[in-house]
Amino acid sequence: MYDPRQLQVLAEVARTGTYTAAADALGYTQPAISYQMRMLERSVGAPLVTRRGRGVQLTPEGRALARHAGTVLAALRTAEDELAALTAPEAGRVRLSAMQSSCVSLVPRALGSLRRTRPELEVTVTQAECRVSHGLLLEGAVELAVMCDLDFRELDFREKDKERHRERERETGTGGETEADRSYSTGATPDSTGGTPDSTGDPSVTVDPRLRRVPLLTDRRCVLLPADHPAAASPTVSLADLAGERWVLESGRTRFLAACRDAGFVPRIAATADDQLTLHSLVANRIGLAVMNELGVTAHFDPRVVARPLADWPVRRVFALLWPDTLRIPAAAALLHALRDTAGPTNDTPVPP
């Protein structure tokens, strides 16, 4: 059986790429890291790393064992937290990683509710992109993650849109490069949230099947308008009706630009900003219209600005992700229930036992 301390060293070497950085992260000396790796290689019976420049690279055996090391270490941390909760049932701690838009709305409200009902619980929050949160969960660095995906039928949207654009070029004989094309050429992904730190509609983010997914809510894409804008009188708005407007957009806008092109126009971009409060302020001062997910909209109030759902736009599904055994930790279970209660009636599955 492999020594968990040696597995921890391997996991840190895999993450950092050097013995020196792994030593700094774990509070060891560099020779101690080298010794632990040699002992683990002796147990495995094969080299786990090879030298590469100033760092190291995992061998196939090293990569395989590092994957299992993450699972083992996560299970040990879960056991540690569960036993800590059992020995001190009135207290507990839980670590949460969450996407940006949930950190300005859903998460603070859930934590406020938890503080009133379970003031003894200690919750630490890390704001992170969904892909990063997924990694933190696999590593055992957090117990829960709040993430999202898109509920849209064409997961290969980007490739299909590029093909439609190429067909139009062949038909018209034009080859001019638009901003959307430049986004494609630099490797931008289909944009679900406009480039803010929770832009994870990218279908390449695949949830590990060992993890449990608990639905929280659906989140619509909205257009921010001045309160006296003619379109503000409608319950929803379409891009085609806003073709002549100026826009303030986030830096990640591939999907939005493609949708505008499908609606028959190229948007006039008046400003670029990735901060939600900045977007609100620019709309309030009539610099242009903006698009934002509903979770972000609810975090800010300005009587000069209204939000209207964007018609024919896919909704995001926001969910909590965790290891199944995590529900045995009272503090984690309490946080999950607070998140679900705060999310409201949009839940579509029963609360886990």
Side-chain angles (χ1 to χ4, degrees):
M1 183 177 296
Y2 302 130
D3 188 329
R5 291 171 297 180
Q6 294 171 357
L7 294 178
Q8 184 182 35
V9 168
L10 174 64
E12 200 61 35
V13 169
R15 187 182 72 85
T16 61
T18 70
Y19 282 6
T20 301
D24 290 341
L26 295 174
Y28 293 170
T29 64
Q30 195 271 345
I33 294 292
S34 298
Y35 174 78
Q36 294 291 346
M37 288 296 296
R38 287 197 303 273
M39 292 300 99
L40 185 56
E41 287 178 331
R42 182 177 298 176
S43 298
V44 172
L48 299 177
V49 297
T50 57
R51 293 287 179 182
R52 187 170 186 176
R54 296 185 177 180
V56 295
Q57 182 177 17
L58 295 184
T59 64
E61 295 85 353
R63 288 194 296 271
L65 185 56
R67 286 195 300 271
H68 290 293
T71 302
V72 170
L73 294 172
L76 289 174
R77 291 189 186 99
T78 298
E80 182 182 64
D81 290 340
E82 183 180 346
L83 289 173
L86 290 173
T87 56
E90 297 305 317
R93 61 184 178 88
V94 60
R95 298 161 298 178
L96 172 70
S97 181
M99 61 186 188
Q100 190 263 353
S101 60
S102 70
C103 284
V104 298
S105 51
L106 173 65
V107 170
R109 293 198 298 268
L111 295 183
S113 173
L114 201 59
R115 178 60 59 89
R116 291 189 294 272
T117 59
R118 298 287 300 276
E120 74 282 359
L121 297 185
E122 178 185 346
V123 181
T124 58
V125 181
T126 299
Q127 178 183 305
E129 298 178 11
C130 294
R131 187 179 285 104
V132 174
S133 290
H134 186 263
L136 292 174
L137 197 59
L138 291 177
E139 295 169 6
V142 297
E143 283 73 49
L144 281 142
V146 175
M147 299 173 53
C148 72
D149 63 11
L150 276 182
D151 180 27
F152 65 101
R153 298 178 183 84
E154 297 183 17
L155 291 182
D156 55 346
F157 169 86
R158 178 184 174 200
E159 290 303 319
K160 290 185 177 181
D161 187 74
K162 288 171 68 177
E163 181 57 33
R164 287 198 301 268
H165 183 60
R166 285 191 291 266
E167 289 178 1
R168 282 196 292 268
E169 282 188 341
R170 288 193 292 267
E171 292 170 358
T172 62
T174 60
E177 184 182 53
T178 66
E179 182 172 352
D181 301 323
R182 288 191 293 273
S183 297
Y184 288 136
S185 67
T186 56
T189 55
D191 180 43
S192 69
T193 63
T196 52
D198 55 322
S199 53
T200 53
D202 180 358
S204 66
V205 181
T206 303
V207 172
D208 190 299
R210 297 170 298 172
L211 299 174
R212 182 169 185 174
R213 173 175 166 150
V214 180
L216 295 175
L217 54 86
T218 55
D219 189 25
R220 298 176 296 180
R221 193 70 165 158
C222 297
V223 176
L224 300 186
L225 309 145
D228 58 356
H229 191 284
S234 303
T236 62
V237 295
S238 68
L239 286 178
D241 293 336
L242 303 172
E245 300 288 345
R246 294 174 301 175
W247 294 87
V248 292
L249 297 177
E250 294 159 306
S251 56
R253 51 202 183 210
T254 302
R255 180 167 172 78
F256 180 80
L257 293 175
C260 291
R261 190 167 64 227
D262 285 347
F265 72 98
V266 176
R268 293 186 296 159
I269 301 173
T272 298
D274 288 326
D275 176 71
Q276 294 176 340
L277 187 57
T278 300
L279 291 174
H280 269 83
S281 182
L282 290 170
V283 174
N285 286 280
R286 302 179 182 278
I287 306 304
L289 310 187
V291 286
M292 184 180 296
N293 282 348
E294 201 167 16
L295 271 178
V297 170
T298 59
H300 306 286
F301 175 74
D302 189 319
R304 298 171 295 172
V305 177
V306 298
R308 294 293 178 263
L310 188 56
D312 301 322
W313 196 274
V315 298
R316 294 194 309 175
R317 299 198 179 277
V318 179
F319 56 93
L321 197 65
L322 66 159
W323 290 97
D325 287 349
T326 301
L327 288 172
R328 299 173 60 185
I329 303 173
L335 175 57
L336 178 60
H337 278 271
L339 287 167
R340 288 181 60 89
D341 289 345
T342 302
T346 54
N347 299 329
D348 52 12
T349 60
V351 177

